[in-house]
């Protein structure tokens, strides 16, 4: 190593910068690996990613040790020992390599997963700060001899601690509604769902039959106060052609004795109109995968509609409540404006992540397979759940969808024909991954006189008239930076399908007859 390089690698600023980036590497890596949908190979799920994480941690300790030694000015005032320069050079090389690994992950995950990585980083922030402060105290503080620098470091640490306590007690988030509510037809009534920017209570107010109702989002009498998503089940007849409003009170903390609350908010009045006409127009959206705005741009070219079919795949997965709030509840509220029913079909990406099992509680949906009717039109909603076998390493041993689909098929086989014009909905156009269950489901849907299956999942837009049982419509969704949304018009004479992209260009226009 030349003298110049030796001086560079043992310069105080160089060692400090290397240790800063070396410390950041495992934090970012953990956030991206634990939350993003990057699926490089199954080895990552078999422990290789943990090995990389621990190598990053070891490198962080190495870089900090080198920096701490260099900052011991009394020991190295006049020269730059070769061994220290060599250690610093090694830390630099490893840090650069890990930076490339992290940048590669960032590039592979793209726009879809990066917001989730930032959410994960935000969740890790308190731990990250504690980790950096501990490192500062352990590695650098003992080496700082200047009294003024020591005082400055102590003041900064005290300030961070005070701010952390303040933010913990009063999170710096303005409390408001994220959007209009979404009203999900869950097959037995309406789930009125809305989200707020911070945790709080949720309620709905309306008048029906001369009585004033105020119904809370509660569980066996206890009002739920720790969620940002609020949902209340209302009987169909209470909401149809009625006016309602929703409200929330911020809850900072819930105690066994008492609690600490914040501001209360009340929405505007919403007029809710059910779908009971002979001719109805449904907006169909699928696979928006966090692209709320792109989907809304495509929708803006389609014209008016009476109800919404949300066909699933809102985000890569549901790690956090805030993802469900933004990509399901806010999106659903924005496109339905709280004034029309939504039929929600779960996508396979809503079955992933630690919040996935909470979603049905948040949306007040007992299950994701059900039937409902808009006037004389019957909808049978199926849930394809995941598109790979339960043992696939992507699911981390937490999938039991084969049994779930078997129960759903039994439920489907128990339905009776009603003589209504019938449409089936399922996220995956091929229904389930089990051949026997899928064959039974197609047969029963045919028995029930279904005329069309509406689906998504493939990120392509087409009508398959060759399907053995009856035609299958695959809604477009997000693909290649564009988004395709559809209108489905139902009338006694048939089913109209029209799809357009974000530029308003017509992608598809088809007509399907009702089966006799
Ligand atoms: Fe999908």
């Amino acid at each position: 190593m030349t003298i110049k390089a030796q001086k560079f690698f043992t310069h105080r600023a160089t060692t400090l910068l290397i240790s800063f980036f070396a410390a950041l590497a495992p934090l970012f890596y953990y956030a991206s690996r634990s939350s993003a949908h990057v699926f490089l190979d199954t080895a990552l799920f078999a422990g290789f990613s943990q090995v990389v994480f621990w190598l990053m941690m070891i490198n962080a300790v190495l870089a900090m040790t080198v920096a701490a030694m260099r900052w011991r000015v009394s020991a190295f005032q006049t020269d730059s020992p070769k061994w220290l320069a060599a250690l610093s050079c090694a830390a630099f090389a490893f840090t650069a390599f890990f930076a490339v690994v992290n940048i590669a992950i960032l590039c592979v995950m793209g726009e879809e997963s990066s917001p989730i990585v930032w959410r994960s980083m935000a969740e890790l922030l308190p731990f990250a700060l504690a980790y950096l402060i501990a490192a500062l105290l352990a590695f650098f503080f003992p080496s700082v001899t200047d009294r003024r620098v020591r005082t400055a470091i102590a003041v900064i640490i005290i300030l961070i601690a005070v701010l952390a306590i303040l933010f913990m007690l009063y999170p710096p988030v303005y409390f408001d509604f994220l959007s209009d509510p979404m009203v999900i037809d869950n097959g037995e009534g309406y789930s009125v769902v809305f989200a707020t920017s911070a945790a709080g209570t949720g309620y709905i107010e309306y008048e029906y039959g001369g009585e004033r109702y105020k119904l809370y989002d509660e569980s066996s009498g206890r009002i739920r106060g720790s969620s940002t998503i609020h949902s209340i089940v209302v009987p169909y007849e209470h909401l149809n052609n009625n006016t309602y409003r929703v409200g929330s009170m911020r809850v900072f903390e819930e105690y066994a004795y008492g609690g600490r609350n914040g501001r209360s908010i009340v929405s505007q009045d919403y007029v809710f109109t059910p779908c009971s006409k002979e001719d109805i127009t449904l907006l169909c959206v699928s696979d928006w995968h966090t692209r709320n705005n792109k989907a809304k741009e495509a929708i803006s070219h389609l014209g008016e509609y009476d109800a919404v079919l949300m066909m699933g795949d809102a985000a890569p997965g549901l790690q956090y409540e805030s993802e469900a709030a933004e990509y399901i509840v806010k999106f659903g509220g924005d496109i339905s404006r709280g004034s029309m029913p939504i039929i929600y079909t779960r996508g396979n990406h809503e079955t992933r992540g630690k919040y996935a099992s909470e979603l049905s509680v948040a949306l007040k949906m007992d299950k994701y397979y059900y039937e409902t009717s808009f006037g004389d039109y019957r909808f049978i909603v199926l849930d394809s759940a995941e598109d790979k076998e339960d043992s696939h390493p992507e699911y981390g041993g937490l999938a039991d969808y084969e049994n779930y689909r078997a129960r759903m098929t039994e439920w489907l086989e128990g339905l009776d024909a009603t003589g209504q014009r019938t449409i089936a909905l399922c996220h995956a156009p091929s229904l389930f991954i089990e051949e026997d269950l899928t064959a039974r489901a197609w047969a029963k849907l045919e028995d029930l006189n279904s005329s069309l299956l509406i689906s998504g999942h493939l990120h392509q837009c087409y009508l398959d008239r060759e399907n053995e049982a009856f035609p299958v419509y695959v809604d477009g969704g997000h693909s290649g930076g564009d988004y395709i949304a559809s209108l489905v018009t139902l009338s006694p004479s048939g089913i109209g399908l029209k799809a357009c992209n974000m530029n308003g260009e017509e992608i598809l226009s088809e007509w399907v007859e009702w089966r006799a």
Side-chain angles (χ1 to χ4, degrees):
M1 191 181 286
T2 62
I3 298 290
K4 213 172 171 184
Q6 208 171 312
K7 276 192 173 168
F8 172 77
F9 283 116
T10 53
H11 194 283
R12 279 177 155 193
T14 309
T15 58
L16 203 60
L17 269 179
I18 293 172
S19 60
F20 176 73
F21 285 108
L24 270 187
L27 280 173
F28 180 85
Y29 182 76
Y30 184 81
S32 60
R33 280 302 316 127
S34 68
S35 57
H37 76 304
V38 180
F39 184 69
L40 300 179
D41 58 51
T42 52
L44 285 185
F45 294 90
F48 179 70
S49 58
Q50 272 208 38
V51 173
V52 175
F53 173 78
W54 285 111
L55 287 175
M56 286 180 175
M57 289 294 282
I58 291 166
N59 181 56
V61 172
L62 169 71
M64 284 182 200
T65 308
V66 168
M69 291 172 104
R70 186 59 192 95
W71 275 69
R72 290 183 63 186
V73 286
S74 55
F76 304 113
Q77 264 171 333
T78 52
D79 57 354
S80 306
K82 274 185 186 170
W83 61 268
L84 188 65
L87 275 181
S88 181
C89 181
F92 178 85
F94 285 128
T95 304
F97 174 72
F98 292 138
V100 170
V101 170
N102 278 329
I103 290 167
I105 288 174
L106 196 60
C107 292
V108 173
M109 76 176 73
E111 63 170 332
E112 188 172 324
S113 285
S114 46
I116 297 136
V117 174
W118 303 131
R119 272 173 227 268
S120 185
M121 291 283 275
E123 195 173 73
L124 284 171
L125 195 63
F127 302 101
L129 274 178
Y131 161 72
L132 287 173
I133 289 172
L136 193 67
L137 289 174
F139 289 88
F140 299 103
F141 200 68
S143 312
V144 178
T145 50
D146 188 313
R147 198 183 163 86
R148 281 172 303 181
V149 178
R150 288 176 75 90
T151 309
I153 291 174
V155 168
I156 289 169
I157 290 173
I158 290 166
L159 269 179
I160 289 173
V162 170
L163 282 177
I165 292 166
L166 262 178
F167 288 166
M168 192 182 73
L169 290 173
Y170 301 97
V173 175
Y174 182 70
F175 189 62
D176 208 348
F177 296 106
L178 284 194
S179 68
D180 296 326
M182 67 188 289
V183 179
I184 301 175
D185 184 335
N186 65 29
E188 290 169 1
Y190 292 122
S191 294
V192 180
V193 189
F194 61 99
T196 45
S197 54
T201 65
Y203 66 85
I204 183 171
E205 273 186 312
Y206 57 87
E207 264 182 38
Y208 177 75
E211 255 188 76
R212 184 106 201 127
Y213 286 82
K214 185 173 185 179
L215 306 175
Y216 282 96
D217 178 3
E218 50 87 31
S219 173
S220 303
R222 170 72 179 187
I223 294 173
R224 295 171 71 229
S226 57
S227 175
T228 60
I229 299 177
H230 320 285
S231 52
I232 305 102
V233 175
V234 180
Y236 287 126
E237 62 273 19
H238 282 210
L239 215 59
N240 287 342
N241 301 306
N242 202 356
T243 302
Y244 73 96
R245 60 185 178 176
V246 293
S248 179
M249 176 181 71
R250 186 172 192 175
V251 176
F252 286 110
E253 281 172 289
E254 289 183 72
Y255 304 126
Y257 298 89
R260 203 160 55 81
N261 304 325
R263 141 175 207 260
S264 293
I265 50 176
V266 181
S267 75
Q268 65 178 75
D269 285 349
Y270 295 98
V271 178
F272 182 80
T273 309
C275 258
S276 51
K277 297 180 294 183
E278 206 173 57
D279 294 349
I280 59 176
T281 304
L282 309 170
L283 169 69
C284 182
V285 287
S286 72
D287 303 276
W288 54 102
H289 282 265
T290 71
R291 277 82 166 190
N292 291 14
N293 290 336
K294 286 184 174 176
K296 283 191 267 181
E297 207 173 321
I299 292 165
S300 69
H301 298 294
L302 283 170
E304 293 300 309
Y305 45 87
D306 307 305
V308 178
L309 307 177
M310 288 174 79
M311 298 304 301
D313 274 9
L318 295 179
Q319 275 289 99
Y320 303 107
E321 185 182 69
S322 59
E323 291 173 272
E326 185 170 349
Y327 304 125
I328 298 177
V329 182
K330 181 179 185 307
F331 181 59
D334 283 347
I335 61 179
S336 66
R337 302 177 294 275
S339 63
M340 61 184 73
I342 290 176
I343 296 180
Y344 171 68
T345 307
R346 183 167 73 158
N348 57 307
H349 285 272
E350 279 98 82
T351 67
R352 301 165 178 223
K354 63 188 175 193
Y355 190 74
S357 54
E358 309 291 323
L359 185 66
S360 62
V361 177
L363 301 182
K364 289 278 195 305
M365 296 181 77
D366 281 348
K367 50 191 182 336
Y368 299 104
Y369 54 90
Y370 57 99
E371 61 161 329
T372 191
S373 297
F374 289 170
D376 197 32
Y377 303 106
R378 184 187 197 189
F379 298 89
I380 297 173
V381 184
L382 299 178
D383 179 11
S384 49
E386 269 302 355
D387 58 356
K388 300 175 189 72
E389 71 281 6
D390 289 347
S391 59
H392 195 281
E394 267 187 46
Y395 312 139
L398 298 177
D400 185 26
Y401 296 115
E402 193 177 336
N403 287 325
Y404 171 76
R405 283 184 288 257
R407 290 197 299 276
M408 175 167 41
T409 307
E410 278 170 27
W411 164 83
L412 176 66
E413 286 177 330
L415 294 182
D416 294 320
T418 60
Q420 291 170 289
R421 299 179 178 96
T422 302
I423 288 186
L425 304 173
C426 187
H427 177 70
S430 53
L431 301 184
F432 317 138
I433 57 170
E434 297 85 6
E435 279 180 24
D436 55 335
L437 296 180
T438 303
R440 282 165 58 188
W442 281 122
K444 184 63 191 182
L445 288 171
E446 250 187 311
D447 275 0
L448 294 171
N449 213 23
S450 305
S451 298
L452 178 72
L453 172 76
I454 298 177
S455 66
H457 187 53
L458 300 182
H459 300 248
Q460 296 167 13
C461 183
Y462 64 88
L463 177 69
D464 176 11
R465 290 185 186 275
E466 305 305 314
N467 184 54
E468 209 176 304
F470 47 86
V472 174
Y473 177 55
V474 183
D475 186 50
H478 178 265
S479 181
D482 200 357
Y483 188 89
I484 296 170
S486 325
L487 281 189
V488 180
T489 51
L490 308 180
S491 66
S493 53
I495 306 162
L497 299 166
K498 184 180 124 184
C500 85
N501 67 6
M502 286 163 59
N503 298 323
E505 293 158 353
E506 189 173 279
I507 303 297
L508 174 142
S509 180
E510 293 278 1
W511 182 259
V512 176
E513 300 286 337
W514 295 110
R515 286 172 68 216

